[in-house]
C-alpha cells in the first residue's frame, strides 16, 4: 500500500529525525549495558524510544517472585505485537491493531534491585508513524509539560500556519486532539459502497479534472472520513462564498448514510452544493480535518459567515480553521431543540415560547435582551438547566440582537422548511442507501444547473411586472434578479400597511421611529442615520434575508429618501452577481445594462430570422456580427485599460437609445417559440464558454491536492513554467498535511482494500 493512503497527518515534520532521537532530548536505542531503577523506569524509557520512532507501546507481561512478591520480570512490546484473537460468536467485535509484529523489549531484575535489558527486538512488520505518534493511546495521557509530542505538534502547526494561515491559535485544539481521538472509529459502509464511491470520483474527474476529493484513514488504516466537491461547487464558491451553511442534519438524525453538506445560496435564492462528506463521528478531530480539507478545496478562502448547529466540537474546529470568519448558529436548530431539551415544560410550553420569542426577536439593545432573558429564566426556573446556560454563553452566535453587522443571505431561518437547504431533503431520506444517494447526487447536480440556467435566462430576458408607482420598486426592477425582486416587491407593497411614529432623536443625524405593521399587528423599532445613510430595523430583514423590509422602506420614504442606499443592495442578489467588478454606486449602470441587453436580444432575434432566409443574407449577417463583436471587444478593453472613453452612458442617453427599440417588433410576432429556443441555446452556449474561461483562470492554489486518481496538476492553462515550479514546491509540502488523498490509485487497489479495511456490513447505530 502506498504511504499516502495512511491516516491523515495533522502536522508536518519540521526536521528529519533519526530513529533514536526525539525533539528536545536524546533517546538512545535499547542496549544490553543499560540499567534502570525499576521496571516502570524501563517502560518509561521504552515509551520515549517508541515515541521518537513512531509506534505505540503496551505492557505485554510481567512476573513477580513467589517468595518476595516483587516484580522480577517484565516485557514491553509494540502495540501491534501478536495476532488478533476473536471468538466466532462475537456480536460486536472490537477493532484490534495486532498484526503479528515482533518488536519488543524484555527486562529482568538483578539481585541488587536494578533492571537490565534481557532481550530487544527492533524490527517491525509495519510502517512507523512518527508524525502521528501523539495519536497512540500510550502517548496521550501524559504530563502536558513533558509531552514532547505536544511541543512538536505545536511547532509543526506553526509551520502549517505559514502555508494556510489557519492555525495561529492551536492551543485550544491540543487537549481535544489528545483526548477525543478514537482510533477505533471508522466509516461504516456496506459491502461494495467503497467501489461505488471510487467509480463516482473517477467519472467526475473524467468530466472535469478539477473535481476534488480527499480521504482520511484512522490508525488502523480503515476509512474514517471522506470529502468531495465538484468543479461547479468550487466555481459557485468564488461567486457566492460569503455565507456558507454546514449542514449535519442527516448525520445527527442517524440517516443510513452519515452525510454532511456544505451549502450556499446563489443570486436566485437557489441552494448550491459546495461540498459533501461522509464522516465517522462528531469529534473535534473529524470536524477539524473536514473544515481544513474544505478550506483547501476552496482555494484557501474563508467564508465571511459560516452557519452550523450548536455543537462544541464544530465550534472548536471552526475557531481554529476560520479565525477571520463569523461563526453563527442557525436559528431553526436552536428553536427545534426547545421542546426536546425542555420537555418537562410541555404544559407551559406555549406560554414559554411567547416570552422566549419576545426576548429573542424583540430586544432592540443588548441590555434589553439581558433583562428579558434573566426574567424569563426566573419565571420558569431555568437558571440551573445546563442547555439553557449554554444558550446564554453562546448568545452572540445566534441571538438576532447581536447580528447587526451580519448578513445571512436567507440561510438562517426559524424553520428548516423555510431554509433553502431543505430542498435537498427530497433527494436524501432516512433509508437512502449509498447506491441510491450516488444516483440522487448526480440528479442534484443536473437539477441545480438546469434551474440556475432557467433563472438566469428569465432574469435577463423578462421584465418584471410593476405593481405600484413606488420609486423603490422601479429602482430595483432592473437590478435584482427575479426571485429577489418578487420578495422585495412584496415588502414595497406591504409598506402601505405600515404607520410610523417618530420617537426620539439620539443626535443631530440619528432618529428612532416606531413602525406599526398592521398586517402582523406588531410594532418595530427603526433607526435611521441620515448622514451615514444607515438604517436598521428590529425585524432584522436585511441581516437575515439580505434586502430591506417594509418598515425601513416607509421610514426612508417619509424621510424624503426615494432610492435604496447602495450599501443595502447586495451584489450577490443582482443581475451583476457574477461580475468581477463591484457594483458599488453603479446601480444605474446595472439598470442600463439590462435594458441594453434586452434591446439587443430583440434585435438579434429579428436579424436571425432575416439572415437565415438565404446563404447570401446569412453571410451578410454573420460578417456584420463578427465585425460588431470585434469593435465592441476592442472598445470595452480600451475602457478597462483606461485608454479609451471614460464616460459611461447615462440613463437619459440610454433611454433615448432604448426608445428606438419601440420600432422593433415583438419577438412573438416572428416565430416567437422558435426564436426563443435559438436565443436560449445561444445563451447556454455563451454561459458554457464564459464558465470554461472562468474555470481556467480560477484554479485554486491548492490544486495539488485535488488531483484524485490523476497525477497531472492541470496547471498549463493558468501559469508559466516558473509559477508551475513554485506551485509544485508548495504541493510537495502539502503531501504531509491534511487531507491525505488518493494520488494514483487504481480501481483495483481501492477495491482490494475494502475487505480488510472497510466493514462488510453496516452495524446498527
Amino acid at each position: 500500500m502506498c504511504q499516502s493512503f495512511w491516516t491523515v497527518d495533522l502536522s508536518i515534520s519540521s526536521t528529519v529525525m533519526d530513529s533514536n532521537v526525539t525533539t528536545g532530548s536524546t533517546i538512545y536505542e535499547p542496549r544490553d549495558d543499560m540499567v534502570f531503577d525499576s521496571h516502570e523506569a524501563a517502560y518509561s524509557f521504552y515509551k520515549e524510544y517508541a515515541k521518537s520512532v513512531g509506534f505505540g507501546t503496551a505492557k505485554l507481561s510481567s512476573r513477580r517472585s513467589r517468595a518476595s512478591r516483587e516484580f522480577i520480570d517484565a516485557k514491553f512490546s509494540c502495540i501491534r505485537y501478536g495476532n488478533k484473537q476473536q471468538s466466532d460468536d462475537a456480536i460486536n467485535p472490537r477493532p484490534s491493531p495486532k498484526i503479528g509484529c515482533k518488536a519488543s523489549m524484555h527486562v529482568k531484575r538483578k539481585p541488587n534491585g536494578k533492571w537490565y535489558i534481557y532481550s530487544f527486538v527492533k524490527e517491525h512488520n509495519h510502517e512507523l508513524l512518527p508524525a502521528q505518534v501523539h495519536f497512540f493511546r500510550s502517548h496521550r495521557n501524559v504530563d502536558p509539560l513533558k509531552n514532547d509530542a505536544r511541543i512538536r505538534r505545536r511547532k509543526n502547526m506553526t509551520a502549517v500556519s505559514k502555508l494556510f494561515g489557519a492555525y495561529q491559535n492551536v492551543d485550544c485544539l491540543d487537549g481535544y486532539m489528545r483526548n477525543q481521538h478514537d482510533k477505533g472509529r471508522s466509516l461504516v459502509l456496506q459491502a461494495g459502497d467503497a467501489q461505488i464511491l471510487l467509480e463516482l470520483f473517477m467519472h467526475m474527474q473524467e468530466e472535469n479534472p478539477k473535481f476534488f476529493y480527499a480521504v482520511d484513514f484512522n490508525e488502523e488504516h480503515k476509512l474514517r472520513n471522506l470529502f468531495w466537491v465538484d468543479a461547479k461547487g468550487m466555481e459557485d464558491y468564488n461567486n457566492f462564498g460569503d455565507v456558507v451553511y454546514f449542514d449535519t442534519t442527516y448525520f445527527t438524525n442517524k440517516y443510513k448514510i452519515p452525510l454532511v453538506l456544505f451549502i450556499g445560496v446563489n443570486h436566485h435564492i437557489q441552494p448550491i452544493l459546495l461540498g459533501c462528506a461522509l464522516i465517522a463521528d462528531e469529534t473535534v478531530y473529524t470536524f477539524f480535518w473536514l473544515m481544513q480539507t474544505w478550506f483547501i478545496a476552496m482555494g484557501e478562502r474563508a467564508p465571511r459567515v459560516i452557519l452550523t448547529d450548536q455543537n462544541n466540537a464544530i465550534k472548536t474546529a471552526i475557531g481554529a480553521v476560520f479565525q477571520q470568519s463569523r461563526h453563527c448558529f442557525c436559528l431553526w436548530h436552536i428553536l427545534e431543540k426547545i421542546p426536546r431539551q425542555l420537555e418537562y415544560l410541555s404544559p407551559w410550553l406555549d406560554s414559554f415560547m411567547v416570552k422566549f420569542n419576545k426576548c429573542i426577536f424583540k430586544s432592540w439593545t443588548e441590555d434589553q435582551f439581558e433583562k428579558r432573558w434573566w426574567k424569563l429564566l426566573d419565571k420558569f426556573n431555568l437558571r440551573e438547566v445546563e442547555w439553557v446556560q449554554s444558550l446564554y454563553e453562546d448568545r452572540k452566535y445566534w441571538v438576532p440582537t447581536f447580528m447587526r453587522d451580519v448578513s445571512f443571505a436567507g440561510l438562517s431561518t426559524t424553520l428548516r422548511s423555510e431554509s433553502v437547504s431543505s430542498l435537498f431533503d427530497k433527494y436524501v431520506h432516512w433509508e437512502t442507501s449509498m447506491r441510491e444517494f450516488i444516483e440522487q447526487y448526480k440528479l442534484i447536480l443536473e437539477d441545480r444547473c438546469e434551474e440556475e440556467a432557467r433563472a438566469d435566462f428569465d432574469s435577463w430576458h423578462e421584465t418584471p411586472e410593476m405593481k405600484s408607482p413606488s420609486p423603490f420598486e422601479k429602482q430595483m426592477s432592473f437590478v435584482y434578479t427575479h426571485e429577489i425582486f418578487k420578495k422585495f416587491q412584496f415588502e414595497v407593497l406591504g409598506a402601505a400597511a405600515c404607520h410610523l411614529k417618530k420617537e426620539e432623536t439620539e443626535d443631530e443625524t440619528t432618529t428612532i421611529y416606531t413602525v406599526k405593521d398592521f398586517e402582523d399587528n406588531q410594532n418595530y423599532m427603526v433607526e435611521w442615520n441620515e448622514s451615514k445613510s444607515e438604517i436598521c430595523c428590529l425585524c432584522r430583514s436585511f441581516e437575515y434575508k439580505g434586502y430591506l423590509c417594509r418598515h425601513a422602506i416607509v421610514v426612508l420614504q417619509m424621510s424624503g429618501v426615494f432610492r435604496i442606499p447602495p450599501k443595502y443592495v447586495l451584489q450577490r442578489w443582482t443581475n451583476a452577481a457574477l461580475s468581477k467588478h463591484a457594483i458599488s454606486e453603479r446601480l444605474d449602470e446595472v439598470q442600463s445594462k439590462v435594458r441594453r441587453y434586452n434591446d439587443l436580444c430583440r434585435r438579434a432575434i429579428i436579424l436571425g430570422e432575416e439572415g437565415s432566409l438565404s446563404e447570401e443574407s446569412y453571410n451578410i449577417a454573420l460578417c456584420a456580427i463578427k465585425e460588431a463583436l470585434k469593435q465592441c471587444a476592442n472598445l470595452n478593453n480600451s475602457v478597462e485599460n483606461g485608454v479609451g472613453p471614460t464616460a459611461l452612458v447615462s440613463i437619459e442617453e440610454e433611454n433615448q437609445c432604448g426608445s428606438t427599440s419601440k420600432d422593433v417588433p415583438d419577438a412573438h410576432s416572428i416565430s416567437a417559440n422558435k426564436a426563443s429556443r435559438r436565443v436560449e441555446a445561444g445563451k447556454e452556449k455563451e454561459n458554457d464558454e464564459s464558465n470554461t474561461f472562468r474555470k481556467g483562470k480560477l484554479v485554486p492554489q491548492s490544486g495539488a491536492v485535488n488531483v484524485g486518481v490523476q497525477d497531472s496538476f492541470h496547471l498549463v492553462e493558468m501559469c508559466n513554467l516558473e509559477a508551475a515550479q513554485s506551485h509544485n514546491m508548495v504541493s510537495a509540502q502539502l503531501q504531509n498535511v491534511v487531507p491525505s488523498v488518493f494520488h494514483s490509485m487504481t480501481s483495483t487497489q481501492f477495491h482490494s482494500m475494502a475487505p480488510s479495511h472497510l466493514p462488510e456490513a453496516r452495524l446498527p447505530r
Side-chain angles (χ1 to χ4, degrees):
M1 181 177 288
C2 178
Q3 183 177 353
S4 62
F5 300 165
W6 297 119
T7 182
V8 65
D9 188 1
L10 281 177
S11 58
I12 308 175
S13 296
S14 56
T15 59
V16 179
M17 297 183 294
D18 295 334
S19 62
N20 61 345
V21 179
T22 187
T23 305
S25 61
T26 301
I27 301 297
Y28 297 99
E29 286 185 1
R31 300 191 309 269
D32 293 342
D33 60 346
M34 289 183 172
V35 178
F36 307 96
D37 292 334
S38 65
H39 73 288
E40 289 294 342
Y43 181 58
S44 296
F45 164 78
Y46 190 65
K47 281 178 62 177
E48 290 300 320
Y49 163 72
K51 189 190 304 181
S52 68
V53 174
F55 66 94
T57 62
K59 293 180 179 179
L60 189 64
S61 62
S62 61
R63 188 163 56 92
R64 294 176 183 266
S65 167
R66 292 183 179 179
S68 65
R69 305 305 299 167
E70 293 181 348
F71 285 104
I72 58 174
D73 185 285
K75 189 171 183 179
F76 320 121
S77 68
C78 170
I79 199 171
R80 315 203 78 170
Y81 185 95
N83 296 301
K84 178 180 178 180
Q85 295 181 355
Q86 184 68 56
S87 60
D88 295 335
D89 59 348
I91 298 176
N92 290 317
R94 296 179 62 185
S96 172
K98 296 182 178 181
I99 57 173
C101 180
K102 299 295 183 182
S104 61
M105 187 177 81
H106 190 178
V107 295
K108 290 192 176 185
R109 184 173 180 269
K110 293 182 178 182
N112 63 1
K114 299 292 185 181
W115 291 72
Y116 69 97
I117 298 177
Y118 179 76
S119 66
F120 169 63
V121 179
K122 176 182 177 180
E123 291 74 20
H124 298 258
N125 68 346
H126 55 88
E127 184 173 357
L128 301 177
L129 304 171
Q132 291 89 21
V133 70
H134 50 283
F135 288 147
F136 288 109
R137 192 177 301 278
S138 57
H139 302 313
R140 284 186 227 158
N141 298 320
V142 294
D143 184 356
L145 298 178
K146 298 179 181 180
N147 187 1
D148 292 334
R150 176 184 178 182
I151 297 173
R152 181 172 66 254
R153 185 159 66 257
R154 183 180 295 126
K155 290 181 179 179
N156 292 339
M157 285 191 172
T158 301
V160 175
S161 68
K162 295 179 181 179
L163 291 177
F164 301 111
Y167 305 104
Q168 295 167 3
N169 293 317
V170 299
D171 287 344
C172 62
L173 280 178
D174 193 74
Y176 284 100
M177 292 300 182
R178 184 172 66 253
N179 298 325
Q180 286 203 12
H181 181 70
D182 184 353
K183 69 176 181 179
R185 288 293 181 93
S186 61
L187 190 62
V188 183
L189 299 174
Q190 293 181 340
D193 284 353
Q195 181 66 22
I196 295 173
L197 288 169
L198 177 64
E199 290 173 356
L200 170 69
F201 296 163
M202 295 179 68
H203 171 73
M204 296 297 291
Q205 279 208 323
E206 286 176 1
E207 291 188 343
N208 194 315
K210 295 184 179 70
F211 177 82
F212 179 107
Y213 68 97
V215 181
D216 169 34
F217 293 99
N218 65 12
E219 290 177 342
E220 296 165 15
H221 319 305
K222 294 181 179 180
L223 187 61
R224 177 167 50 197
N225 302 306
L226 185 64
F227 169 81
W228 72 94
V229 59
D230 70 320
K232 179 66 165 58
M234 290 184 277
E235 182 186 349
D236 284 339
Y237 184 75
N238 290 329
N239 299 317
F240 307 107
D242 53 339
V243 186
V244 174
Y245 171 43
F246 178 55
D247 189 359
T248 56
T249 304
Y250 305 124
F251 183 87
T252 55
N253 289 347
K254 308 298 183 184
Y255 276 49
K256 194 171 185 179
I257 53 174
L259 178 69
V260 296
L261 302 173
F262 290 89
I263 298 172
V265 60
N266 67 12
H267 51 323
H268 302 297
I269 328 180
Q270 297 171 338
I272 51 178
L273 196 54
L274 304 177
C276 303
L278 301 174
I279 60 176
D281 52 42
E282 293 183 282
T283 60
V284 170
Y285 172 88
T286 288
F287 291 126
F288 181 76
W289 178 89
L290 184 56
M291 292 300 166
Q292 190 191 13
T293 302
W294 182 76
F295 177 62
I296 294 173
M298 297 298 121
E300 300 174 34
R301 295 182 307 279
R304 186 170 52 80
V305 177
I306 184 164
L307 286 158
T308 70
D309 188 6
Q310 184 191 22
N311 181 295
N312 286 333
I314 297 177
K315 181 180 174 182
T316 302
I318 289 179
V321 180
F322 302 120
Q323 296 177 23
Q324 303 304 317
S325 300
R326 178 70 181 267
H327 180 202
C328 299
F329 300 151
C330 233
L331 267 178
W332 75 263
H333 275 295
I334 302 294
L335 299 176
E336 180 191 51
K337 294 177 181 177
I338 291 177
R340 184 172 67 254
Q341 294 288 346
L342 304 179
E343 186 176 2
Y344 68 93
L345 276 181
S346 54
W348 308 276
L349 187 60
D350 291 341
S351 175
F352 171 80
M353 290 306 301
V354 171
K355 300 289 186 181
F356 181 83
N357 288 333
K358 180 180 179 180
C359 174
I360 299 305
F361 297 110
K362 299 298 183 181
S363 295
W364 178 247
T365 64
E366 295 180 16
D367 288 341
Q368 194 175 41
F369 165 78
E370 294 279 344
K371 292 177 182 178
R372 289 177 175 175
W373 178 265
W374 295 116
K375 184 177 179 181
L376 174 70
L377 266 57
D378 290 337
K379 180 178 178 62
F380 291 93
N381 195 25
L382 297 173
R383 280 184 179 260
E384 303 302 320
V385 178
E386 185 176 351
W387 181 70
V388 175
Q389 292 174 355
S390 72
L391 288 183
Y392 179 75
E393 292 170 359
D394 292 333
R395 60 193 180 281
K396 293 186 179 180
Y397 287 81
W398 65 278
V399 178
T401 308
F402 299 90
M403 303 300 165
R404 197 174 251 208
D405 57 340
V406 181
S407 180
F408 295 118
L411 282 173
S412 182
T413 59
T414 56
L415 295 173
R416 178 173 173 82
S417 59
E418 297 175 351
S419 173
V420 294
S421 61
S422 65
L423 294 179
F424 291 107
D425 294 347
K426 67 180 182 180
Y427 301 99
V428 183
H429 306 288
W430 189 74
E431 282 295 331
T432 300
S433 66
M434 184 62 68
R435 185 177 296 276
E436 291 170 338
F437 170 71
I438 295 304
E439 294 302 318
Q440 291 297 315
Y441 174 73
K442 297 175 182 177
L443 188 61
I444 290 173
L445 300 183
E446 293 174 2
D447 289 350
R448 294 298 101 212
C449 288
E450 181 180 352
E451 291 176 15
E452 182 178 348
R454 185 185 301 114
D456 279 337
F457 185 82
D458 291 344
S459 285
W460 284 108
H461 292 78
E462 295 181 4
T463 302
E465 177 186 358
M466 297 292 108
K467 296 184 177 181
S468 77
S470 169
F472 302 114
E473 184 180 6
K474 183 178 180 181
Q475 175 195 6
M476 307 313 298
S477 62
F478 285 101
V479 176
Y480 280 148
T481 60
H482 274 17
E483 289 302 317
I484 286 293
F485 178 73
K486 290 177 183 176
K487 292 181 177 295
F488 177 75
Q489 187 180 54
F490 182 76
E491 296 301 318
V492 171
L493 298 176
C498 295
H499 179 267
L500 80 165
K501 177 184 177 183
K502 187 176 180 179
E503 292 292 336
E504 59 181 288
T505 302
E506 292 188 347
D507 51 49
E508 295 181 356
T509 58
T510 303
T511 306
I512 295 179
Y513 296 87
T514 297
V515 178
K516 174 71 173 181
D517 190 333
F518 290 97
E519 188 169 323
D520 63 5
N521 197 31
Q522 296 287 334
N523 291 324
Y524 296 92
M525 300 289 291
V526 179
E527 182 181 277
W528 164 240
N529 186 313
E530 185 175 1
S531 64
K532 297 180 180 179
S533 294
E534 292 181 349
I535 193 164
C536 181
C537 179
L538 180 62
C539 75
R540 314 290 182 192
S541 173
F542 182 75
E543 287 81 357
Y544 282 86
K545 300 176 182 178
Y547 50 85
L548 289 183
C549 61
R550 61 190 64 184
H551 320 117
I553 290 173
V554 74
V555 168
L556 289 176
Q557 186 171 323
M558 295 302 294
S559 301
V561 178
F562 301 104
R563 298 184 67 79
I564 301 297
K567 68 177 66 176
Y568 297 107
V569 181
L570 300 183
Q571 182 162 339
R572 65 158 8 266
W573 292 142
T574 71
N575 288 309
L578 303 182
S579 173
K580 60 183 178 180
H581 304 292
I583 61 173
S584 185
E585 306 282 342
R586 303 181 296 106
L587 297 182
D588 290 341
E589 184 182 342
V590 176
Q591 294 174 327
S592 299
K593 182 178 179 181
V594 175
R595 293 182 184 129
R596 292 193 295 267
Y597 183 90
N598 291 339
D599 182 60
L600 288 174
C601 284
R602 289 193 293 268
R603 294 174 184 272
I605 292 173
I606 298 172
L607 179 61
E609 290 293 334
E610 293 294 329
S612 63
L613 295 179
S614 67
E615 188 69 26
E616 291 76 11
S617 61
Y618 168 77
N619 290 330
I620 293 173
L622 185 61
C623 289
I625 290 175
K626 287 183 177 180
E627 182 62 26
L629 183 61
K630 180 180 178 181
Q631 292 185 22
C632 290
N634 291 336
L635 176 64
N636 292 333
N637 289 335
S638 66
V639 172
E640 287 184 1
N641 295 330
V643 298
T646 57
L648 296 173
V649 179
S650 67
I651 296 183
E652 290 75 13
E653 292 173 332
E654 196 283 322
N655 286 338
Q656 292 174 3
C657 178
S659 65
T660 61
S661 66
K662 295 179 181 179
D663 300 329
V664 181
D666 189 271
H668 291 284
S669 64
I670 308 178
S671 306
N673 294 334
K674 178 179 178 181
S676 297
R677 287 195 299 271
R678 289 180 182 176
V679 174
E680 184 172 2
K683 180 66 178 177
E684 291 173 352
K685 182 177 180 181
E686 177 183 315
N687 286 341
D688 289 340
E689 291 174 353
S690 63
N691 286 342
T692 302
F693 178 74
R694 287 197 297 270
K695 290 176 184 176
K697 291 185 67 177
L698 296 176
V699 177
Q701 189 177 13
S702 60
V705 297
N706 63 349
V707 290
V709 294
Q710 300 193 17
D711 292 325
S712 172
F713 292 149
H714 303 283
L715 297 176
V716 177
E717 72 275 20
M718 68 164 284
C719 58
N720 55 27
L721 179 60
E722 181 179 356
Q725 290 173 342
S726 174
H727 183 82
N728 290 338
M729 290 174 63
V730 176
S731 303
Q733 291 176 299
L734 291 177
Q735 302 308 309
N736 293 326
V737 192
V738 293
S740 48
V741 295
F742 291 119
H743 290 284
S744 305
M745 195 169 194
T746 63
S747 173
T748 304
Q749 289 173 313
F750 192 100
H751 184 69
S752 63
M753 182 185 69
S756 60
H757 299 294
L758 298 176
E760 291 296 334
R762 183 176 180 83
L763 297 175
R765 285 187 174 275

